[in-house]
Amino acid sequence: MAAPRVDLYGIIHKMLRVELFQTASLIGTTNFADPQTRAETAALFGRTKAFLDEHGGHEDDFVEPSVREVNPDLAARLEKDHIGLDAQLESLVELLGQIEETEGEAAVGLGAQLHKGYSDFIGVYLTHMSCEETEVNETLWAHYTDDELVEIRGRLQGSIPPPRFAEWFALMVPAMNLQERIGVLTGMKLNAPPPVFDAMSGVAKEAIGEDAWAQVAGALP
């Protein structure tokens, strides 16, 4: 059986799905009449939006140019998707601002609108991710070697400041299965400077707990 190809989307999309669904769950259970509770929800939404914004920017800057070279029509569709998704997110930010200035039952009503709008956004975003995981990956695999895809991923990751990359990694590791955790940490141990590997190992251990980390650590070379 052929070895799996380098996937620029798989693990990061798993992390984003967790983030999206956790935020949806909190929005759905929030008492928007309570200022403190809705502030906590707004904070999580803001965190999720920041990750989505950065992820979209990473794709625009590092992945889509390679897609555009071999399939301009597909790249144009991706760009159009990103513009539409950004507009949906901004409309939700505006709605959150309205909720912040509203009290009582009126705030609860706006909260219901937020839940519906965010759910609609997730539906569109999941479809977009599915396109990337299938059609875009197939395009990349048909025209680029794994070494070339690894180079793209390396430039993308290298553009993220280390403290921010640690924040990404703290959410990515819990979203991975055991085999993915071992694979990612093995790659770091073999290819990254020792201080980087040590730092990311610490992030991973804190994110998944000592027992889960022991399974990973015991399988590393």
Side-chain angles (χ1 to χ4, degrees), residues 144-187:
Y144 297 96
T145 67
D146 281 347
D147 286 344
E148 289 170 329
L149 297 178
V150 167
E151 192 271 337
I152 292 171
R153 184 170 62 196
R155 287 190 292 109
L156 188 162
Q157 293 177 344
S159 73
I160 305 172
R164 184 56 171 170
F165 186 82
E167 293 175 357
W168 277 96
F169 200 61
L171 296 179
M172 290 168 61
V173 177
M176 300 179 200
N177 61 37
L178 176 60
Q179 292 73 25
E180 289 166 338
R181 293 169 184 171
I182 293 170
V184 169
L185 269 298
T186 294

Side-chain angles (χ1 to χ4, degrees), residues 67-142:
V67 177
R68 188 172 295 109
E69 286 186 9
V70 296
N71 192 333
D73 290 341
L74 178 57
R77 282 166 46 202
L78 295 175
E79 182 179 6
K80 182 179 179 181
D81 281 357
H82 284 179
I83 292 171
L85 289 164
D86 289 346
Q88 280 186 277
L89 273 178
E90 291 304 324
S91 70
L92 295 175
V93 170
E94 293 177 6
L95 185 53
L96 271 169
Q98 295 177 35
I99 293 172
E100 184 62 29
E101 299 173 356
T102 309
E103 298 180 358
E105 288 302 312
V108 174
L110 290 176
Q113 292 182 35
L114 178 68
H115 182 260
K116 175 64 166 59
Y118 186 72
S119 297
D120 291 344
F121 167 79
I122 288 180
V124 177
Y125 200 87
L126 291 177
T127 299
H128 174 70
M129 287 199 292
S130 178
C131 171
E132 292 174 331
E133 292 163 357
T134 54
E135 190 172 354
V136 177
N137 262 341
E138 289 168 2
T139 297
L140 293 172
W141 294 336

